[in-house]
Amino acid sequence: MTVIADVETNLDRTRFFINGEWVDPIGSETHHALEAATGDALGTASLGTDADIDRAVKAAREALDHGPWGRTTADERAALMHKFADALEKRADATATLVSRENGMPITLSGPFNGAAPAGLLRMYAEQVRAMDLEEVRPSALGSTIVRREPVGVVGAIAPWNYPQVLAMMKIAPALAAGCTVVLKPSPETALDSYVMGDAAQEAGLPPGVLNIVLADRGAGASLVSHPLVDKIAFTGSTETGRIIGAECGRLIRRMTLELGGKSAAIFLEDGDIDTFLGGIGAASFMNNSQTCTTQSRILAPRSRYDEVVDALAGWTDSQTIGNPLDPATTIGPMASEKHLGRVLGFIDVAKNSNARLVSGGGRPTDQDRGWFVQPTVFADVDNDDRLAREEVFGPVMAVIPFDDDADAVRIANDSNYGLGGSVWSADEERALGVARQVRTGTIGLNYYSLDLGAPFGGMKDSGVGRELGPEAINPYLEYKSIYAGADRLRG
């Protein structure tokens, strides 16, 4: 057990948070978490079975249909959400550190995303629902119609390992604001940190069953997707898994939000400023060791400045500090697991055996003999049809692709199954904006890329269905009901 900022965090999590209590698992399977930077044992967590998922869903259903949560007002829910945020804030430093140890995220990034952002999202959606009219009276041909917005019901939230706290809260916060109850299934790759939410929910006084947390693998996770008492699935993860979940939700006619993979393009136009590009490429293409769905791993450069861009990008990667993610000086940490490291190295091998030209990185750093580190790597002369340009690596491996003019850049950027992130780099913002408007993607930045929690986030094409964040994110957790009433309603 470690103690950080006067809050205890138990690194062994062998119980599940169901119906407001810590309960023993029904099965006996466990997951042994390893520290990404060293490979050393970090903690042990129980893995749930279909029966554990069933217990959690039934608790959520009971809290919604018969418990106090289903009868709360927006103000009452908002007040509890603020208490939940306060409890998470007390644990923020410890949580951020734990996530960095689990998945290798540099601590300078983990603090804002895993420490501060979850509490901020709770507060944002608490205030949004307070200001929202959940009933509206409209005139109709025969009198009036009361248009109600009601909670969609029980939400199955499936969160990934790369930004585990904030991506879970991007589902939990709007769901709670809308009046839904939630069953959270975290990823085994970050098996330990999600239970901090259970500790905080208990402290805040969330009613039993409102938030339930069961760690499980894909098998038990599938039972959450298909459970008859679940009304909506909110999933962040791979496109491959998203297809399976989407097919099942379609079969069951079940609401869903899917935030999936990407293969985004950073377009450096002919008039771009190279210093601006180098100042922003870290956030655009290497954030969280490139274990980010919006990673812009296709760098599109004009032929007239192609060598300049390639050399500058190679120099930038060579200058990065690779090391322990808990060191604030580290800019590139390890991959989240040995298995994932193998995947990234596999893509590097594929590119080495293609016509692409390796200009930096290309393997494991020689000064790191422990943990799952890989050098930030740049390949030039990549064809947009190469595997490195088509498939999501989810690691710091960049493909630099030449283009002829702005129209050609747009064509190459759009020649992808994905459409999640992107950026355009130009000294002329209007020119950059004109290019950005033509790229089929859910988000895109002009001379920088940074997620805005107040604006909708999601993808086009194989990058997903629906949107999270911004005021728009609460809508997928609401259902509309029209009540046809008399004319007296209008006068009232």
Side-chain angles (χ1 to χ4, degrees), residues 37-124:
T38 64
D40 292 340
L42 184 58
T44 300
S46 294
L47 287 174
T49 62
D50 293 357
D52 294 301
I53 294 290
D54 181 63
R55 280 197 298 174
V57 171
K58 286 177 177 175
R61 188 85 250 170
E62 178 70 16
L64 182 74
D65 292 345
H66 306 293
W69 195 251
R71 299 188 295 274
T72 54
T73 65
D75 280 339
E76 289 169 339
R77 292 197 297 276
L80 282 168
M81 290 171 69
H82 277 287
K83 289 181 179 179
F84 190 10
D86 291 342
L88 284 174
E89 270 191 343
K90 289 169 57 177
R91 296 161 168 80
D93 289 345
T95 304
T97 299
L98 178 55
V99 172
S100 290
R101 296 178 71 187
E102 289 178 302
N103 70 3
M105 180 183 293
I107 192 64
T108 53
L109 186 68
S110 191
F113 277 91
N114 296 302
L121 288 169
L122 281 166
R123 292 196 173 101
M124 182 173 79

Side-chain angles (χ1 to χ4, degrees), residues 84-164:
F84 190 10
D86 291 342
L88 284 174
E89 270 191 343
K90 289 169 57 177
R91 296 161 168 80
D93 289 345
T95 304
T97 299
L98 178 55
V99 172
S100 290
R101 296 178 71 187
E102 289 178 302
N103 70 3
M105 180 183 293
I107 192 64
T108 53
L109 186 68
S110 191
F113 277 91
N114 296 302
L121 288 169
L122 281 166
R123 292 196 173 101
M124 182 173 79
Y125 288 108
E127 292 312 302
Q128 182 181 333
V129 77
R130 270 181 170 155
M132 183 179 289
D133 291 326
L134 296 176
E135 279 197 3
E136 172 191 351
V137 182
R138 301 179 185 177
S140 68
L142 298 179
S144 66
T145 298
I146 303 167
V147 179
R148 279 180 53 83
R149 290 191 270 195
E150 300 180 346
V152 72
V154 174
V155 175
I158 303 175
W161 51 261
N162 58 330
Y163 293 83

